[in-house]
């Protein structure tokens, strides 16, 4: 181990402001216009089908205005006392301030702490955050009052928080039962994982044991590998040779949990305000830290593109769901006769959809990938609480003025959202090329009124 007398010397932090470009002024008006255009596309073209076919009851992911307008979210996960809170304190310069996150050698963070921008420094209770519809946290109410008591927000004026929101989580403690927390810890983690733009999984080189809780966490991260960054923190606590051994051991432990051809990027450094320990690879640690900051800055700069891609992906899932429900409805009507028992007929369809080519017909008649199809069993549960007779076929989901639900969502997926993305990438005013349908904020023209 390395001598720790160095902890009284503070480290130079000027590279943080330089790498994250705090001095660069953003084009706030252009970003706001793009967000409004995205919100308009979602509400006019995607949400109607979402509501008509109760998509939220299938996926439990309702998109709020707060989520569309929210800043990118950076989530910190990992075992207890690995330096997650210390890392946030370091990036925001909170050390020795009244609002620094509490740190220590024992498990310290028992709450989910959301650090976000505000005009003044203040704390916000979880129950207030969940009740505020303008924020993106209102869906967290479903996890119960016990969880909301373990949710806290901290608002403060900071250049970095103008562009991103940090979420600190309770450390994973092996051999602790979920019930002891008093709320569904894994479900709450999944909610934040699903919405995070960047996920830092932090490790201490002296605590690399992988237990059941950590295995469960990485199962929850499946499908989000592109957002994951592994951080080997407190790296200057070890001599160089020992650090190399630990680095190899970390990959060995995580390899079975991350089943992808290209493993996540691993950053090796020490994220706290004090100088690196003597006789360690300080140049390497500094370069690694700058690389991580560049990675964070990339997420911030691409936040609008990521938001558009997320809404488009959501729209594709909603469209597939609508097509499947429509196919179930059509099949039910075809199989019903005057003497049929509706419950028995539909039970046969739901229990064996392949017999009636429910999913295969969607693949054959639409440009849907088989890899995008949801689980068949999910629809048994879905129709268990939603009677098939509550849904109309897509062909009857049309109006003379509003058009057809399917046409609108397909136009959004294939034309409007890609056009908005192109306008962002080319630096044009978003949406000017495709304003015919919505007017882009102008008073809509009545096409059926004679001049």
């Amino acid at each position: 181990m390395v001598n720790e007398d160095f902890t009284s010397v503070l480290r130079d932090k000027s590279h943080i402001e330089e790498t994250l470009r705090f001095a660069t002024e953003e084009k706030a008006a252009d970003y706001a216009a793009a967000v409004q255009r995205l919100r308009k596309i979602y509400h006019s073209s995607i949400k109607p089908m979402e509501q008509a076919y109760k998509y939220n009851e299938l996926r439990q992911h309702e998109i709020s205005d707060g989520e569309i307008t929210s800043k990118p979210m950076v989530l910190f996960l990992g075992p207890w006392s690995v330096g997650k809170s210390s890392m946030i304190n370091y990036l925001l310069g909170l050390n020795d301030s009244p609002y620094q996150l509490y740190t220590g050698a024992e498990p310290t963070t028992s709450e989910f702490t959301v650090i976000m921008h505000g005009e003044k420094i203040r704390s916000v209770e979880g129950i207030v955050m969940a009740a505020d519809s303008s924020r993106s946290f209102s869906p967290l109410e479903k996890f119960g009052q016990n969880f909301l008591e373990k949710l806290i927000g901290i608002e403060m004026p900071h250049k970095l928080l103008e562009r991103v929101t940090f979420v600190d989580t309770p450390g994973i403690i092996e051999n602790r039962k979920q019930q002891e927390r008093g709320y569904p810890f894994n479900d709450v983690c999944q909610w934040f994982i699903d919405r995070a733009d960047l996920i830092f999984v932090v490790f201490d080189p002296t605590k690399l044991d992988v237990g059941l809780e950590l295995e469960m966490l990485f199962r929850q991260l499946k499908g989000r590998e592109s957002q994951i960054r592994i951080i080997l923190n407190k790296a200057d606590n070890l001599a160089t040779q020992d650090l190399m051994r630990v680095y190899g051991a970390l990959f060995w432990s995580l390899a079975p949990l991350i089943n992808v051809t290209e493993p996540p990027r691993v950053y090796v450094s020490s994220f706290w305000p004090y100088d690196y320990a003597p006789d360690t690879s300080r140049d390497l640690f500094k370069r690694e830290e700058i690389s991580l900051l560049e990675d964070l800055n990339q997420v911030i700069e691409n936040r609008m593109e990521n938001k558009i891609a997320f809404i488009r992906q959501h729209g594709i899932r909603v469209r597939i769901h609508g097509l499947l429900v429509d196919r179930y409805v059509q099949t039910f009507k075809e199989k019903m006769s005057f003497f049929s028992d509706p419950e028995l007929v539909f039970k046969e369809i739901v229990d064996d959809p392949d017999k009636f080519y429910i999913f295969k017909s969607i693949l054959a008649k639409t440009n849907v990938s088989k890899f995008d199809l949801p689980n068949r069993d999910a629809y048994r549960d879905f129709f268990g609480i939603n009677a098939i007779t509550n849904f109309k076929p897509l062909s009857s989901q049309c109006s003379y003025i509003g058009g057809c639900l399917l046409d609108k969502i397909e136009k959004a997926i294939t034309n409007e959202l890609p056009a908005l993305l192109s306008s962002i990438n080319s630096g044009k005013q978003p949406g000017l090329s495709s304003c015919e349908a919505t007017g882009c904020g102008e008073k809509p023209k009545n096409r059926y009124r004679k001049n």
Side-chain angles (χ1 to χ4, degrees), residues 145-399:
Q145 295 302 306
N146 284 344
F147 166 68
L148 293 181
E149 291 176 3
K150 293 292 185 181
L151 175 67
I152 187 169
I154 298 176
E155 290 184 346
M156 64 182 67
H158 194 283
K159 277 286 187 181
L160 180 53
L161 295 177
E162 290 178 6
R163 307 179 184 188
V164 73
T165 295
F166 288 145
V167 179
D168 192 17
T169 61
I172 294 169
I173 302 177
E174 299 297 345
N175 302 321
R176 169 181 281 187
K177 295 179 181 178
Q178 251 201 83
Q179 291 81 355
E180 293 179 11
R181 298 186 188 266
Y183 62 89
F185 176 73
N186 289 336
D187 292 341
V188 174
C189 282
Q190 190 66 63
W191 189 92
F192 282 103
I193 287 168
D194 289 342
R195 289 156 179 80
D197 296 85
L198 196 59
I199 302 169
F200 289 143
V201 185
V202 188
F203 289 94
D204 184 324
T206 63
K207 302 173 188 169
L208 293 183
D209 296 335
V210 176
L212 293 176
E213 286 255 351
L214 201 58
E215 287 184 15
M216 172 63 77
L217 173 66
F218 274 93
R219 279 201 293 272
Q220 291 180 282
L221 291 169
K222 188 173 177 61
R224 303 301 304 275
E225 287 82 6
S226 62
Q227 278 86 32
I228 299 173
R229 304 293 184 271
I230 307 294
I231 297 175
L232 190 57
N233 198 18
K234 307 182 184 180
D236 60 344
N237 281 353
L238 298 179
T240 304
Q241 190 172 4
D242 292 333
L243 184 59
M244 291 174 65
R245 291 195 184 102
V246 167
Y247 187 87
L250 178 64
F251 261 105
W252 179 262
S253 300
L254 297 182
L257 306 179
I258 307 175
N259 189 20
V260 291
T261 53
E262 185 177 344
R265 174 78 159 85
V266 178
Y267 295 100
V268 182
S269 191
S270 182
F271 294 92
W272 70 335
Y274 302 106
D275 199 11
Y276 301 113
D279 302 321
T280 55
S281 306
R282 59 174 52 238
D283 290 339
L284 169 65
F285 298 154
K286 180 75 173 287
R287 289 196 301 272
E288 287 282 281
E289 184 178 322
I290 290 174
S291 293
L292 180 140
L293 293 172
E294 289 173 344
D295 212 348
L296 174 58
N297 194 59
Q298 193 70 28
V299 168
I300 294 170
E301 291 187 346
N302 292 341
R303 65 193 184 282
M304 194 64 235
E305 290 90 332
N306 293 338
K307 227 176 255 295
I308 294 169
F310 168 72
I311 294 296
R312 185 175 183 274
Q313 183 184 50
H314 178 77
I316 289 171
R317 288 172 176 160
V318 171
R319 172 179 174 267
I320 292 171
H321 172 67
L323 289 168
L324 282 169
V325 173
D326 175 67
R327 189 63 203 150
Y328 273 102
V329 171
Q330 289 187 44
T331 304
F332 175 70
K333 290 188 173 183
E334 290 168 2
K335 298 301 174 186
M336 277 295 295
S337 66
F338 184 77
F339 298 103
S340 300
D341 183 333
E343 289 188 11
L344 291 178
V345 169
F346 193 64
K347 185 178 185 303
E348 184 183 8
I349 297 171
V350 170
D351 287 346
D352 191 5
D354 289 340
K355 177 182 176 182
F356 300 94
Y357 302 99
I358 300 286
F359 287 78
K360 289 181 180 177
S361 65
I362 298 298
L363 294 175
K365 296 180 180 179
T366 61
N367 58 336
V368 172
S369 167
K370 65 179 181 179
F371 301 107
D372 289 332
L373 289 176
N375 191 315
R376 289 157 171 74
D377 293 336
Y379 282 90
R380 185 184 291 112
D381 298 334
F382 176 78
F383 286 116
I385 57 175
N386 295 290
I388 187 68
T389 52
N390 290 344
F391 300 103
K392 298 178 182 178
L394 277 171
S395 58
S396 64
Q397 296 279 13
C398 298
S399 67

Side-chain angles (χ1 to χ4, degrees), residues 15-122:
H15 62 284
I16 295 180
E17 293 191 13
E18 292 172 6
T19 308
L20 295 177
R21 303 174 189 171
F22 286 172
T24 305
E25 291 295 328
E26 293 188 305
K27 296 180 179 178
D30 290 350
Y31 179 75
V35 168
Q36 284 303 108
R37 177 67 180 139
L38 179 61
R39 182 176 169 275
K40 204 174 193 72
I41 292 172
Y42 170 71
H43 278 283
S44 63
S45 302
I46 298 174
K47 193 166 185 176
M49 182 175 282
E50 195 178 312
Q51 293 176 327
Y53 292 100
K54 299 187 178 180
Y55 175 78
N56 185 44
E57 295 185 18
L58 179 77
R59 290 289 298 240
Q60 294 293 308
H61 190 167
E62 185 175 3
I63 295 179
S64 63
D65 284 350
E67 191 168 350
I68 294 175
T69 59
S70 65
K71 300 177 179 70
M73 181 190 293
V74 178
L75 181 64
F76 290 79
L77 298 169
W80 60 274
S81 194
V82 294
K84 300 187 296 294
S85 301
S86 296
M87 187 172 175
I88 295 173
N89 286 337
Y90 171 63
L91 292 174
L92 297 177
L94 298 181
N95 297 86
D96 299 324
S97 75
Y99 279 84
Q100 71 171 339
L101 303 183
Y102 182 59
T103 62
E106 75 285 358
T108 53
T109 304
S110 61
E111 297 94 6
F112 282 79
T113 307
V114 181
I115 304 98
M116 49 198 164
H117 184 262
E119 295 302 319
K120 60 182 180 180
I121 297 178
R122 70 181 186 118

